[in-house]
Structure formats: structure tokens, C-alpha cells
Amino acid sequence: MKTKSLIGTLALATLLMFSSCSKEEQNLAGNSANGIDQSTIDLSMLSAEELAKMGKQKINLNITGLEPLGSDFRYEGWIIVNGMPVSTGKFKINSSGKMTPGVFHSNISDLQDATTFVLTIEPQPDMDPAPSATKILGGNFNGSSATITTAHMAALGNNFMNATGKYILATPTTATTADENSGLWFIDLASGSPMAGLDLPLLPAGWRYEGWAVVNGQPVSSGRFLYNNMVDMDDPFSGPLSGPPFPGEDYVTNAPAGHSFPTDLAGGVVVVSIEPYPDDSPAPFLLKPLAAMVPANATDHTTYMMMNKANMFPTGTVTK
């Protein structure tokens, strides 16, 4: 009986000890005892004090201008700690522009030493633990906060506010002159001789430029490119003749579903976008530095100006 009473006393003491702990502390103790990784716990439910006991701290991301990615991609945040990237977690953007999840954490020691924040686009599933080459936003911490933009050297390295563009309508890859308004070329003919119509900075790895014409309300690519004064990488709709050494496309053959080529681009829209590589979607990406409304009375071989839209690029702050 004496042994049984001692066991009962110990059991009661243990019960009282756990009853005096918070629910979160009990969960942590149970998880630790069962060998469960603490990362499986819903950290968003813990207070700052409870997070600190785990050696973790909340990170606040406030970013505007992001759009949903394709189903096979995710955004991922990174802090640079002693020159090395440390992930702060992946997230999606829904159709309302809301982050899912919306709460992020990292180790306190890492955050104390973090100098830079970088936002990347990653494949899903992701077999590589390192950041991808497709870095969209970045910024240095000044105290506990960082302003993140495309201009940071860890991202695209430019705000694209000085980008300019000109284009013409023409179909140099066909022998007929009856379809001239069905071609889009980023060429400047103002001087009488063909010159590059685009003035764009070189892109870092992980990105490509892409031209677009809106045909019957739908964007149709004119091709991806890296350089303003070279043939682009794609010509699925052009005719049999050689085109000029500039980005562009004749929309005269192999029309995609829902379209009929040749067409008339007058009254439509022309866009130059910056696309992730690999690309997350067949539609234009959210970074569109140049755009233009094609005049309703547009004539072929006339040089038209594009407007700079870089002020629409995403930006934000990160607070640790």
C-alpha cells in the first residue's frame, strides 16, 4: 500500500504540473517527447513570448502588386544571413491579392544577423533547397525593416523607369501588302532606317522579355527575347520570309484556338512584359514596363510610342 500511495502521489504531482502549463507549452512538451518536429506546430497561434521560447520570431510581409502564379509555382521569401540564404517560407497569392499563408517566422538568431530580404519564384514541388534564379524583389534591412523593390541588386537590379519603346505595324515575312496591320515589330522608323524600337536594360538570369499583341481581347505572344536589336526566340505565327533583326511577329499563320489570322491590330493593345524563366503561365506576367494603345486608325510602317508603366511594379516592406 505504501508503494501504491507513492506512485499515486507522483502521478498527482505530474498532473498538477501539466495543468499549470499553458496549452501551447503542453503541446510543445508532448511534441518534443514524441520526437515531432516543432515546425509542424501552427506557429500562427502562438504569442510573441511563446515563439521566443522556441527561439523564433514573427516576420511581417506587406507587399502590394503581386498576382497569382501558375499552379506549379510559389513565391518564397529569403533572408540573407552571413552571406547565406535562409528561407522564411513559401506562399501563394489568391485572386484578391491576399497571401496564403499570411504569417511567417524565422529563428531569432538568423533575423538578428539578416542583412537582406529577397523574394523569389520557385517551382512546386521544389527539389532544390536553394533560391531559384528568378528573384523579383529585394531590399536591405535598415534596423528592423527593409523596403523591397525590383531595383535591388539581389532582384532585377533596375526599376525600369527609364525604359522606352516604339513599334510599327508591318508584315515583313509575307509577300503580300494586304495584311500589313497584322504584324507587330519593335522597330523605330522615324529616321527612315530601321532601328531598335526598345530601350530596355539587360535582364539577370531567371528572366526574359516578351512582346504581346492583344488580339480579339486576348494577349498573343510576339516572342521572348533578351536583346533589343536581335531576332527574338519565337516565330510561330510568322510567314515564310525572313524578318528583320528585331523582336516582333507577323500574325498570319497557325492562329491559336479562337483566333483567325491575318488580323488587324489597329485599336488593340501592345505590351512588353518581363517573364519568369521558366515561365509560370502562358499569359503575360505582372511586370509590364511598356504598353500602348494602338490607334484605331493606325497605318502600317508608322512609328508609334509606348508608355512606361513601371510605376505599377510591386513593392513592399518586410519587418522583423
Side-chain angles (χ1 to χ4, degrees), residues 68-78 87 89-93 100-101 120-132 134 276-281:
L69 296 173
S71 59
D72 295 333
F73 291 85
R74 298 288 186 273
Y75 294 104
E76 186 166 5
W78 305 83
S87 175
K90 293 183 178 180
F91 63 92
K92 297 189 294 184
I93 296 290
T100 306
T120 66
I121 297 174
E122 303 288 335
Q124 181 70 19
D126 189 0
M127 299 296 104
D128 187 351
S132 74
T134 312
Y277 181 77
D279 205 343
D280 72 301
S281 168

Side-chain angles (χ1 to χ4, degrees), residues 193-255:
S193 299
M195 300 180 66
L198 299 174
D199 186 0
L200 293 164
L202 291 177
L203 294 174
W207 298 96
R208 300 284 190 273
Y209 289 113
E210 189 163 3
W212 305 84
V214 178
V215 182
N216 297 326
Q218 296 294 323
V220 182
S221 176
S222 68
R224 298 163 299 154
F225 60 95
L226 286 173
Y227 306 104
N228 306 332
N229 57 351
M230 294 180 63
V231 177
D232 58 35
M233 303 172 184
D234 315 283
D235 61 348
F237 312 120
S238 288
L241 304 180
S242 296
F246 301 101
E249 184 76 356
D250 289 347
Y251 299 103
V252 294
T253 62
N254 303 317

Side-chain angles (χ1 to χ4, degrees), residues 145-161:
S145 66
T147 298
I148 54 175
T149 68
T150 64
H152 192 271
M153 294 309 296
L156 284 145
N158 202 293
N159 63 12
F160 295 87
M161 293 300 293

Side-chain angles (χ1 to χ4, degrees), residues 85-99:
V86 176
S87 175
T88 61
K90 293 183 178 180
F91 63 92
K92 297 189 294 184
I93 296 290
N94 65 19
S95 57
S96 300
K98 184 179 179 180
M99 291 183 188

Side-chain angles (χ1 to χ4, degrees), residues 50 63 67-68 99 117 137 150 171-172 179 195-196 225 229 256 261 275 291-292 299 308:
E50 290 162 339
I63 306 175
E67 296 178 358
M99 291 183 188
F117 182 89
L137 297 173
T150 64
T171 53
D179 58 6
M195 300 180 66
F225 60 95
N229 57 351
F261 290 166
E275 299 290 322
T299 56
N308 187 295

